[in-house]
Amino acid sequence: MSNVKECNDVLVAHTKEGKLISLGKHHSAERLREMRSTLQFFCPSCKEPLQLKVGTKKIPHFAHLKQRSCESSHEGETDYHMLGKRQLYEWISSTHRVELEEYMADIRQRPDLLLRTPSAVYPIEYQCAALSLEMFTKRNQSYLGQDYRPIWIIGAKRLKRLSTHMIQLKSQDWQYLSAIPQLPTLFYFSPDDQQLIKISHLYAFSSTICFGTFHYSSTHQLTFEEWVLGGIEKEPAVWTAWLERKRKWRTTYMIYSNKQTRPFLELLYTLQIPPSHFPAEAGIPLSSSYLFETPSCIWQAYILFDLFRYTRMDEEIAYETIRNRLKKRMKEGHIKQRFEREGDWEIPLQEYLQFLCDIKLIKKSSDTYYILKRTYTIPHKMNDVFQADWDCLYAWLSKRNDM
């Protein structure tokens, strides 16, 4: 049996004379059968022969005749994928010049769509199947290396919405977060009803649970630029839902010891803190939290504890010391990065330290030093714990809005 995967089905081909044939444009079945009987087709990427398939179960497409690797192939394409790709092409091409499956010889990539604007080049990938982080990184970096701005749109079948603001993400889908609107954003498209789904203001709560603001529209209502690059509301309405999840996490999740929580529970025991009474200042929704797979309540609490266990009040502590303590936690497996990319982990660390400055728990004394101004909040009664979570979060949000 061959170890080579069968090549992708494609929607574009070259004829023997070099003419580009695109199935993104509508052709009658009769016209397609006539083309099939009179023309020869070849893959624009690997130059191998293609067969034009015109049936009733799948949309018309070209298929490689031989089972061999095509250098720009990444996955077998389902009819759902090809239909979605064609619909996205039709939608974007109504307002922009966009290419379908154009082979980019300089980086040996064939994005699903390629949009060139005066300001940027956008390779657009419509991803319906699971894609390994290694393959995603290779493809994404090849685009970024040429100063292109890749946009990853996920097939809507992969969307698992749990409530008004809560979503459960598959392990591979975190990598598609786009920072184009300056905040982490996910894009989904459903070819079944041409529905566009944009989830903005994403805040990772744990390894799979995320909170965000959902925007539903259709290809008949928005242009591509309005959907991807358009503005979003200044403040999401996810805070109450976040606090409800944190409340549940305190009262249920922290009761059970597992590989992830065991060292954290042992630390709480050493500090004589009941598991459900971890600091109110831990478990804050930060936009960069998704860079850690460890739940926000845990990785933020570790930073708090490591700050105050070894430093006295009104004493200076160097950023490098805080940084090294976090690196030690990661080395010991207490905190886990999501992508294992160098430097990623410092982004949420710095955002969290800024939060601690905002609530005046610490104060920045210089570019590289902080001073501890007050300790974290550990209420004694359970009702006080929930109130402290509320007070801490909304005090911070009010301060941010005033800035």
Side-chain angles (χ1 to χ4, degrees):
M1 183 179 293
S2 171
N3 292 325
V4 179
K5 292 183 179 180
E6 185 176 353
C7 295
N8 284 358
D9 296 333
V10 294
L11 295 178
V12 295
H14 281 141
T15 65
K16 191 175 182 179
E17 293 74 28
K19 182 180 179 181
L20 183 68
I21 303 295
S22 171
L23 300 182
K25 301 174 182 178
H26 281 291
H27 302 277
S28 67
E30 181 180 357
R31 172 59 182 153
L32 290 173
R33 292 189 180 97
E34 179 185 343
M35 289 165 57
R36 183 174 61 184
S37 64
T38 58
L39 299 174
Q40 289 179 290
F41 303 103
F42 300 88
C43 175
S45 305
C46 66
K47 314 303 180 186
E48 291 293 323
L50 297 173
Q51 179 183 6
L52 174 55
K53 293 193 172 184
V54 186
T56 56
K57 292 184 178 181
K58 295 186 71 173
I59 67 170
H61 62 278
F62 297 104
H64 286 75
L65 292 176
K66 296 180 180 179
Q67 277 199 343
R68 56 170 295 166
S69 178
C70 176
E71 63 180 1
S72 63
S73 295
H74 305 295
E75 65 191 70
E77 295 193 6
T78 62
D79 196 45
Y80 181 89
H81 185 173
M82 286 193 291
L83 180 61
K85 184 182 353 184
R86 191 173 74 179
Q87 289 180 357
L88 287 170
Y89 169 77
E90 292 170 350
W91 171 50
I92 300 173
S93 64
S94 65
T95 54
H96 297 82
R97 181 182 174 184
V98 60
E99 303 299 333
L100 177 65
E101 296 181 350
E102 179 175 319
Y103 180 59
M104 306 173 76
D106 56 339
I107 55 173
R108 300 174 68 183
Q109 293 274 36
R110 189 185 65 212
D112 290 326
L113 304 170
L114 187 62
L115 172 63
R116 292 183 175 91
T117 70
S119 58
V121 176
Y122 299 96
I124 302 168
E125 297 280 10
Y126 181 52
Q127 195 65 36
C128 298
L131 185 67
S132 70
L133 177 60
E134 180 183 8
M135 181 59 73
F136 166 79
T137 302
K138 179 181 178 182
R139 290 164 64 178
N140 204 54
Q141 286 302 123
S142 69
Y143 295 137
L144 295 175
Q146 299 294 321
D147 291 329
Y148 302 146
R149 298 179 65 177
I151 296 172
W152 295 79
I153 301 172
I154 310 171
K157 285 185 177 181
R158 298 183 65 83
L159 176 60
K160 188 173 183 180
R161 186 175 185 177
L162 301 179
S163 65
T164 303
H165 293 290
M166 188 161 60
I167 177 177
Q168 182 174 344
L169 288 178
K170 299 179 186 293
S171 59
Q172 299 94 346
D173 290 354
W174 293 94
Q175 61 202 13
Y176 305 127
L177 285 170
S178 169
I180 287 179
Q182 282 131 22
L183 287 172
T185 305
L186 285 171
F187 300 98
Y188 291 84
F189 176 66
S190 169
D192 295 333
D193 51 11
Q194 298 190 41
Q195 188 174 62
L196 303 168
I197 306 166
K198 180 177 182 177
I199 311 176
S200 63
H201 292 103
L202 284 162
Y203 299 96
F205 188 89
S206 65
S207 59
T208 60
I209 299 300
C210 197
F211 287 83
T213 303
F214 288 74
H215 313 261
Y216 286 88
S217 53
S218 77
T219 55
H220 306 296
Q221 297 172 310
L222 296 177
T223 65
F224 176 77
E225 286 180 312
E226 289 170 338
W227 184 48
V228 173
L229 305 177
I232 50 180
E233 74 280 3
K234 183 178 179 181
E235 202 67 80
V238 304
W239 312 127
T240 300
W242 177 279
L243 288 172
E244 287 174 357
R245 185 72 180 185
K246 187 176 178 181
R247 179 189 183 110
K248 184 176 180 180
W249 206 80
R250 282 186 181 278
T251 56
T252 58
Y253 186 77
M254 289 304 296
I255 296 174
Y256 305 102
S257 176
N258 55 45
K259 184 178 180 181
Q260 183 180 57
T261 62
R262 190 172 298 116
F264 183 64
L265 292 173
E266 290 172 355
L267 177 59
L268 290 175
Y269 179 79
T270 301
L271 297 173
Q272 299 183 325
I273 299 173
S276 57
H277 287 227
F278 61 84
E281 293 84 0
I284 300 300
L286 303 175
S287 60
S288 60
S289 286
Y290 72 94
L291 294 171
F292 284 132
E293 191 172 297
T294 303
S296 294
C297 295
I298 291 181
W299 72 260
Q300 293 175 15
Y302 272 131
I303 292 175
L304 276 179
F305 294 147
D306 289 345
L307 269 172
F308 288 91
R309 287 182 78 191
Y310 309 105
T311 311
R312 293 191 296 269
M313 207 62 61
D314 291 321
E315 188 174 276
E316 278 193 326
I317 182 172
Y319 172 74
E320 190 65 19
T321 302
I322 303 171
R323 182 180 181 275
N324 289 338
R325 289 175 184 170
L326 179 55
K327 283 183 71 175
K328 183 180 178 183
R329 289 287 180 192
M330 292 192 295
K331 186 176 181 179
E332 293 172 345
H334 298 166
I335 299 176
K336 185 178 178 182
Q337 278 185 267
R338 189 175 299 280
F339 303 124
E340 300 295 335
R341 293 190 301 232
E342 185 64 31
D344 264 5
W345 57 273
E346 285 200 75
I347 301 172
L349 169 61
Q350 291 168 2
E351 188 177 5
Y352 185 58
L353 290 176
Q354 182 59 54
F355 158 75
L356 296 179
C357 287
D358 290 343
I359 63 171
K360 301 186 185 309
L361 195 142
I362 63 175
K363 179 182 178 181
K364 200 166 187 179
S365 56
S366 69
D367 289 342
T368 56
Y369 280 86
Y370 295 87
I371 299 176
L372 306 191
K373 301 303 293 181
R374 67 174 179 85
T375 191
Y376 45 77
T377 308
I378 304 288
H380 297 294
K381 296 180 181 179
M382 203 64 207
N383 285 340
D384 293 340
V385 170
F386 302 142
Q387 186 62 48
D389 285 339
W390 180 279
D391 292 343
C392 179
L393 180 58
Y394 277 89
W396 174 54
L397 295 173
S398 297
K399 181 175 178 56
R400 279 202 323 174
N401 291 335
D402 292 340
M403 293 173 68

